[in-house]
Amino acid sequence: MAINRNVATTHVSMLKRITADKRAATAPLRHAATRRAKTFISQLFIYSILLSLAFVFIYPVLFIFSKSLMQAGDVTDATVNWIPKQLSFANYAYAFQQLDFWRSFMNSTVISLGSAVVQVVSCAVVGYGFARFRFPGRGLWLALVLFTFLVPPQTIIVPLFLQFSDLGWLNTYLPFIVPGLFGHGLKGALFVLIFIQFFSKLPSQLEEAALIDGAGAFRTFRSIMFPLARPAMLVVFLFSIVWHWTDTYEPSMYLMEPQKFNMTQQLSKMDGEGNGEGAKQLAVTKSVIGEPPTKVNRVMAGALLSILPILALYLFTQRYFVESVERTGIAGD
Amino acid sequence: MKKRLGLTMRARHIVQGYSFISIWIVGFFLFMAIPLFRSLMFSFQDLKIMSGGLEATQVGLKHYNNAFTVDTSFVPRLITSFTNIVIQVPLTLVFAMFSALLLNRKLLGRIAFRGIFFLPVIIASGAVLKKLMGQGATRLPIFDQVDLVGKLIDYVPGQILFPLLKMMDAITLIMWDSGVQILIFLAGLQSISTTLYEAAKCDGATPWESFWKVTFPMIVPMILVNTLFSIVSSFTKVDNSVMDYIQYIVFNKSDYGYASSLGWIYFVFIFLVIGAVFLMFRGASAEERR
């Protein structure tokens, strides 16, 4: 297939025609039939690798889904592997109530959506400043953005915790949203870098035209550059939602009251931790003991419920996740 | 407006630039620089919670000494965290590169495959992953089914076999964790101009050669990006035991000073790793230029 394409493009340039002639001279040695067989086998090979890899990637979904539909009897029954003997949604009803679904859904949504919105705006503003202005100290601040990205949260967690505690922000959404307002927060530095990449690729004539038309720097940003940044905004928005939703670290530091728990916290404290994991239990989950251990089916129903909202989001926006990363040029180094 | 401040074009440009990034600078002090400095202070202090706030007494290097000499559970955790980075990051990169190369080809259902490869970033992370690990669902059952250990232990010494099997066990986790890295590599691969490959082909390069001579050098910056991203995401991964431990010290022991010093030890150790990564890449690119 690749060779055919090559032959087709050879008509374009003289240089290529010469090599094509060379290849044509050796072509009779290789029969077309064996060549076709070869490409067929290599295609077969590639697809089989891809399919087996895809299985590994879908495996957790299948596992969660199948276990979540099982009854207690099916879980221990060795003859039941994937398909439960009878269909029942009792686990979901149980998990729904255990997770305190609507409340934790609201908590998670406010945290994820709120942080995502403020991060999109603030990181875009900051990214624009870095991408389009040359000022003394720019290199230093850029290095500090990278530094911020690389500092482990473990290092600064104690002062941050005390700081938020002094401000009375524990058990509120503020520790998640306010750092986002300043272009920080969960992976904030990465989002700033994404916007820097994106804005520095836009043509500078856009701003020059706006300047000639009498727009100031902020007006230019607000009415021209910001709307143009939609692909980058989409990436940042979606990633911010997903990462905030699945993050277990910050919520477990800042949210201690069960009423304020988000989805992942409710899931962590659900029963059936089992397998010696209990030793590593955190203070947050430690208070909740009781319920017999290893109820795989119920826990998996809970797991599915806890990610259902972002799974739904992903199903609808999958293209944007995958394609917009290319369009924004995160990879531009 | 231009006259109002009496600034030159250049000065106005600088002021505008700084006003755009000013919110970030304020945030940097509030949420990074000051906490970092305070945590360094804390690490040399004993902190007691009093009614009026925290009471600090200077204890010098006590916490650092304790971390390495008295505390029996910190150093092993640090070592585990280190070996995890050293083993998992290269494997992640190799796997992500391999997948990206596959997905970059013209395929039927390419979009669907990409969607599937990215799926674990959404579902197999955080609390869900922890639950899956608790159920042993993060290992491929195939190794148990064929009793790999029993078959291989006769031929391969245990010192080699068990770490190897541990790596194999970790492979599922590594694959699930490489979604973002695959996307970054894919974006990088797509930015390589096709004329380069055509030129290489004209010069008689085989696909293998054109990978090493064209693709690989072009994608080195993405490898650096992915290495850094993988290291950063390992901080808060569910299998990072240092994270759990520091959290445990903060909440269960309320020993803020000790927790801060552990945080700083981790910080220094991470920056040594990152420094090594930068040196390696600088060495590699210097070699390229020669």
Side-chain angles (χ1 to χ4, degrees):
Chain A
M1 194 182 80
I3 292 167
N4 285 343
R5 198 176 52 201
N6 197 326
V7 172
T9 49
T10 46
H11 300 286
V12 181
S13 79
M14 277 302 287
L15 188 77
K16 285 180 189 161
R17 190 172 295 167
I18 296 164
T19 56
D21 287 345
K22 265 191 216 154
R23 189 167 285 127
T26 57
L29 295 174
R30 270 196 265 158
H31 288 292
T34 56
R35 208 165 55 207
R36 222 175 296 141
K38 246 186 182 169
T39 53
F40 177 73
I41 289 171
S42 74
Q43 287 286 19
L44 199 70
F45 184 63
I46 286 167
Y47 278 105
S48 56
I49 291 180
L50 273 176
L51 283 174
S52 43
L53 287 180
F55 172 73
V56 177
F57 284 92
I58 292 190
Y59 179 76
V61 193
L62 294 178
F63 182 88
I64 293 173
F65 190 62
S66 128
K67 284 279 185 289
S68 71
L69 290 174
M70 287 182 182
Q71 296 298 301
D74 293 339
V75 176
T76 48
D77 190 343
T79 60
V80 176
N81 228 345
W82 287 104
I83 300 160
K85 283 192 169 150
Q86 72 188 88
L87 197 65
S88 143
F89 294 99
N91 297 324
Y92 285 101
Y94 174 81
F96 194 85
Q97 177 225 332
Q98 275 281 299
L99 288 175
D100 197 355
F101 186 84
W102 288 118
R103 185 180 302 199
S104 51
F105 174 76
M106 275 312 292
N107 288 339
S108 276
T109 308
V110 172
I111 291 173
S112 302
L113 214 59
S115 323
V117 168
V118 297
Q119 273 187 329
V120 163
V121 177
S122 65
C123 294
V125 171
V126 175
Y128 181 74
F130 276 117
R132 293 305 222 191
F133 294 90
R134 297 287 172 273
F135 43 84
R138 180 174 172 274
L140 173 74
W141 289 114
L142 259 180
L144 286 174
V145 173
L146 188 64
F147 174 80
T148 306
F149 179 57
L150 297 173
V151 172
Q154 285 90 331
T155 309
I156 53 169
I157 195 64
V158 173
L160 275 184
F161 175 75
L162 294 174
Q163 192 171 316
F164 291 137
S165 152
D166 287 345
L167 291 166
W169 287 2
L170 296 182
N171 293 314
T172 67
Y173 308 124
L174 293 174
F176 306 93
I177 294 171
V178 174
L181 270 175
F182 292 92
H184 289 256
L186 188 64
K187 299 259 197 309
L190 180 67
F191 297 144
V192 170
L193 291 173
I194 290 176
F195 276 111
I196 295 176
Q197 269 308 315
F198 182 83
F199 281 121
S200 54
K201 278 188 184 157
L202 293 179
S204 62
Q205 283 89 331
L206 290 168
E207 282 137 314
E208 283 157 18
L211 189 70
I212 288 168
D213 288 347
F218 302 103
R219 178 93 190 276
T220 311
F221 175 72
R222 204 184 60 226
S223 38
I224 296 173
M225 301 308 268
F226 190 65
L228 276 176
R230 211 177 284 148
M233 281 155 68
L234 202 62
V235 172
V236 169
F237 183 70
L238 291 175
F239 273 96
S240 180
I241 284 189
V242 167
W243 279 332
H244 275 102
W245 194 282
T246 56
D247 182 37
T248 50
Y249 186 61
E250 291 196 339
S252 67
M253 295 301 296
Y254 303 136
L255 305 174
M256 292 97 152
E257 284 169 13
Q259 289 94 335
K260 298 290 179 187
F261 274 12
N262 71 355
M263 215 61 133
T264 54
Q265 284 176 293
Q266 291 286 4
L267 178 65
S268 323
K269 83 173 175 67
M270 253 185 93
D271 57 20
E273 194 75 35
N275 294 15
E277 281 285 313
K280 279 197 282 179
Q281 282 301 300
L282 310 172
V284 185
T285 54
K286 215 185 68 178
S287 57
V288 188
I289 313 174
E291 251 97 34
T294 28
K295 289 258 194 280
V296 195
N297 46 356
R298 292 174 165 188
V299 173
M300 287 303 136
L304 191 67
L305 281 181
S306 79
I307 50 168
L308 205 58
I310 46 167
L311 200 59
L313 177 79
Y314 181 64
L315 288 181
F316 288 112
T317 56
Q318 191 248 100
R319 280 188 84 94
Y320 300 107
F321 267 100
V322 179
E323 285 173 3
S324 52
V325 171
E326 283 157 21
R327 262 185 286 147
T328 47
I330 292 179
D333 120 318
Chain B
M1 193 184 106
K2 282 158 212 155
K3 289 277 148 61
R4 198 179 57 199
L5 291 168
L7 294 172
T8 60
M9 281 283 274
R10 171 95 193 111
R12 213 169 58 230
H13 185 77
I14 292 170
V15 170
Q16 283 166 349
Y18 263 105
S19 48
F20 272 105
I21 68 162
S22 59
I23 53 165
W24 191 86
I25 294 176
V26 172
F28 175 76
F29 282 108
L30 286 180
F31 304 112
M32 181 54 66
I34 292 172
L36 205 57
F37 179 72
R38 279 180 77 195
S39 113
L40 186 63
M41 292 289 100
F42 288 166
S43 74
F44 298 112
Q45 294 170 341
D46 258 337
L47 294 168
K48 285 215 178 60
I49 305 169
M50 294 294 175
S51 52
L54 290 169
E55 198 190 79
T57 38
Q58 296 294 335
V59 292
L61 289 170
K62 188 186 104 185
H63 293 314
Y64 290 93
N65 270 329
N66 283 354
F68 288 108
T69 54
V70 181
D71 191 339
T72 50
S73 47
F74 178 65
V75 174
R77 282 161 189 264
L78 198 63
I79 291 171
T80 317
S81 169
F82 177 72
T83 44
N84 275 352
I85 289 179
V86 169
I87 293 174
Q88 291 181 1
V89 170
L91 283 176
T92 310
L93 293 180
V94 171
F95 177 75
M97 173 81 94
F98 177 73
S99 314
L101 285 170
L102 277 180
L103 293 173
N104 196 35
R105 304 172 69 99
K106 280 203 162 57
L107 294 165
L108 274 174
R110 186 161 72 153
I111 299 278
F113 274 122
R114 288 187 192 182
I116 290 169
F117 276 50
F118 195 71
L119 201 56
V121 175
I122 315 265
I123 50 165
S125 56
V128 177
L129 184 57
K130 214 165 196 169
K131 292 292 180 194
L132 284 171
M133 283 166 90
Q135 301 303 332
T138 54
R139 312 167 57 218
L140 291 178
I142 195 151
F143 297 126
D144 295 331
Q145 279 163 11
V146 298
D147 184 28
L148 211 60
V149 180
K151 279 186 184 139
L152 285 177
I153 195 74
D154 297 337
Y155 308 106
V156 188
Q159 294 98 311
I160 303 175
L161 182 65
F162 289 115
L164 213 64
L165 285 175
K166 226 177 142 187
M167 271 167 79
M168 295 305 285
D169 264 352
I171 241 146
T172 328
L173 279 181
I174 286 166
M175 286 165 73
W176 289 354
D177 210 51
S178 55
V180 175
Q181 286 89 331
I182 293 175
L183 285 189
I184 290 175
F185 273 141
L186 262 177
L189 287 174
Q190 244 137 52
S191 68
I192 301 174
S193 157
T194 49
T195 52
L196 287 176
Y197 290 108
E198 279 164 18
K201 209 175 225 171
C202 289
D203 289 342
T206 60
W208 177 252
E209 283 168 334
S210 76
F211 171 76
W212 286 108
K213 300 287 176 194
V214 179
T215 314
F216 193 75
M218 294 297 285
I219 217 160
V220 163
M222 263 61 80
I223 299 178
L224 178 61
V225 170
N226 271 341
T227 311
L228 294 181
F229 184 85
S230 307
I231 292 175
V232 167
S233 72
S234 80
F235 300 154
T236 51
K237 247 192 213 166
V238 287
D239 61 353
N240 186 327
S241 49
V242 174
M243 177 183 93
D244 281 355
Y245 190 62
I246 291 177
Q247 211 163 11
Y248 166 79
I249 302 271
V250 171
F251 280 117
N252 296 28
K253 299 270 168 83
S254 297
D255 196 345
Y256 297 135
Y258 188 49
S260 299
S261 72
L262 293 186
W264 267 87
I265 293 170
Y266 192 60
F267 174 83
V268 167
F269 144 87
I270 285 296
F271 268 74
L272 287 178
V273 174
I274 289 170
V277 168
F278 271 112
L279 278 180
M280 262 161 59
F281 276 88
R282 180 177 278 183
S285 57
E287 206 134 288
E288 206 104 302
R289 251 174 262 133
R290 245 188 282 131

